[in-house]
Amino acid sequence: MSGQSLLVPGELSPARSVPAKIRRPEYVGKPQPAPYTGPEVQSDETVELMRIAGRIAAQAMEEAAKHIAPGVTTDELDRVAHDFMVDHGAYPSTLGYREFPKSLCTSVNEVICHGIPDSTVLRDGDIVNLDVTAYINGVHGDNNATYFCGDVDEESTLLVERTRESLNRAIKAVRPGRQINVIGRVIESYAKRFGYGVVRDFTGHGINSSFHSGLIIPHYDSPHATTVMRPGMTFTIEPMLTLGTHEYEMWDDGWTVVTKDRRRTAQFEHTLVVTDTGADILTLP
């Protein structure tokens, strides 16, 4: 594994602006979102609107990823994704969500999730997760992926590739009539083959007009995740695998989650809708 020094918080740039003509989610300017009281099964019209939001989110993530290179700051990646979403009429869902200050999450190396873009400079050998969500037409589309910065060591490369594969396997396990816990069972059984940790305290979630609807998608085999999947349900799957422990600590910013042993971690995510025969990915570019 890379012997690079651990991350430390950088300096935040001022909040980026969003034109007034772009519709905001209801939680912007509030300490927390209103509880979701709608259905988990969405109409065909809502699903198609989510596909538009998901496509913008996926394209914004791809555009930001093109700029990943040694010497680039995570704040610059935020600028690229922010500008792309705004230029396409979408609001960056993370901006102002529970007072999160930026338009995407940048989680580097030992950061499991929710890293805040700042003056941190990417280094050769880093792995970088970008988590981008777009809000447009009253719905959200949420995705993330882990990318390589320069020349990455083999252990980290395999972790990233296998985390991507764990998501692919989980998506294939989605079927109407099955319980949600089949998703985590598939991910955990695959991760155990390589001795990876599977993060338990941060999960996939229901998504629609609400960023997080309350539906929880564990990435481990949870006996409590007995909700039965039905056609039209929309949610994310976003496994977080680690080279060591699944346990975590949080920085003082209240957002940045790091592995307790400070070993590296990777994550991939798609927003899905359950179909009559499986799953349809809504976050494709």
Side-chain angles (χ1 to χ4, degrees), residues 222-260:
S222 169
H224 306 294
T226 56
T227 299
V228 174
M229 291 181 270
R230 293 175 287 158
M233 289 179 71
T234 50
F235 52 82
T236 71
I237 303 176
E238 45 189 298
M240 292 151 265
L241 305 187
T242 71
L243 288 174
T245 182
H246 69 271
E247 296 180 346
Y248 72 94
E249 294 176 347
M250 188 174 290
W251 283 3
D252 292 342
D253 60 23
W255 281 106
T256 305
V257 179
V258 296
T259 53
K260 192 170 185 178

Side-chain angles (χ1 to χ4, degrees), residues 12-18 75 78 82 91 95-96 100-103:
L12 285 178
S13 65
R16 304 190 196 282
S17 63
V18 178
D75 188 64
D78 180 79
H82 176 95
Y91 186 92
L95 184 61
F100 190 84
K102 291 294 178 178
S103 297

Side-chain angles (χ1 to χ4, degrees), residues 15-69:
R16 304 190 196 282
S17 63
V18 178
K21 65 181 180 181
I22 293 179
R23 179 179 174 182
R24 271 82 166 143
E26 57 81 21
Y27 52 74
V28 174
K30 301 176 183 177
Q32 60 187 19
Y36 179 69
T37 57
E40 297 297 351
V41 171
Q42 305 303 310
S43 67
D44 291 345
E45 179 183 9
T46 297
V47 169
E48 291 311 307
L49 292 176
M50 289 180 66
R51 197 184 305 277
I52 294 170
R55 182 164 57 245
I56 292 172
Q59 291 172 340
M61 184 173 71
E62 279 195 341
E63 192 62 31
K66 293 176 184 177
H67 293 75
I68 292 174

Side-chain angles (χ1 to χ4, degrees), residues 62-243:
E62 279 195 341
E63 192 62 31
K66 293 176 184 177
H67 293 75
I68 292 174
V72 174
T73 65
T74 54
D75 188 64
E76 173 64 9
L77 304 180
D78 180 79
R79 183 196 65 77
V80 173
H82 176 95
D83 289 351
F84 186 95
M85 285 185 274
V86 167
D87 288 347
H88 288 78
Y91 186 92
S93 300
T94 60
L95 184 61
Y97 179 77
R98 297 184 181 272
E99 301 179 340
F100 190 84
K102 291 294 178 178
S103 297
L104 83 165
C105 301
T106 51
S107 301
V108 180
N109 296 343
E110 70 269 19
V111 179
I112 295 172
C113 57
H114 304 158
I116 301 174
D118 58 19
S119 62
T120 296
V121 176
L122 297 178
R123 302 162 297 181
D124 184 61
D126 285 342
I127 59 173
V128 186
N129 181 272
L130 303 182
D131 194 336
V132 181
T133 310
Y135 178 79
I136 190 171
N137 298 320
V139 296
H140 301 268
D142 184 4
N143 69 165
N144 77 54
T146 303
Y147 299 90
F148 302 126
C149 181
D151 185 18
V152 175
D153 67 273
E154 183 180 16
E155 187 178 39
S156 299
T157 299
L158 288 172
L159 173 68
V160 171
E161 292 174 350
R162 290 165 176 167
T163 305
R164 181 191 292 111
E165 175 63 14
S166 76
L167 173 59
N168 293 338
R169 290 177 179 231
I171 292 171
K172 291 177 182 177
V174 172
R175 292 284 189 284
R178 290 181 174 177
Q179 293 182 343
I180 289 290
N181 57 17
V182 71
I183 294 169
R185 189 175 308 133
V186 166
I187 293 168
E188 186 173 40
S189 64
Y190 179 71
K192 279 184 174 180
R193 289 167 51 182
F194 312 104
Y196 295 154
V198 181
V199 173
R200 301 167 74 91
D201 294 274
F202 299 90
T203 67
H205 53 88
I207 184 170
N208 36 65
S209 60
S210 172
F211 195 171
H212 298 83
S213 73
L215 178 66
I216 295 173
I217 313 295
H219 302 121
Y220 65 98
D221 188 4
S222 169
H224 306 294
T226 56
T227 299
V228 174
M229 291 181 270
R230 293 175 287 158
M233 289 179 71
T234 50
F235 52 82
T236 71
I237 303 176
E238 45 189 298
M240 292 151 265
L241 305 187
T242 71
L243 288 174

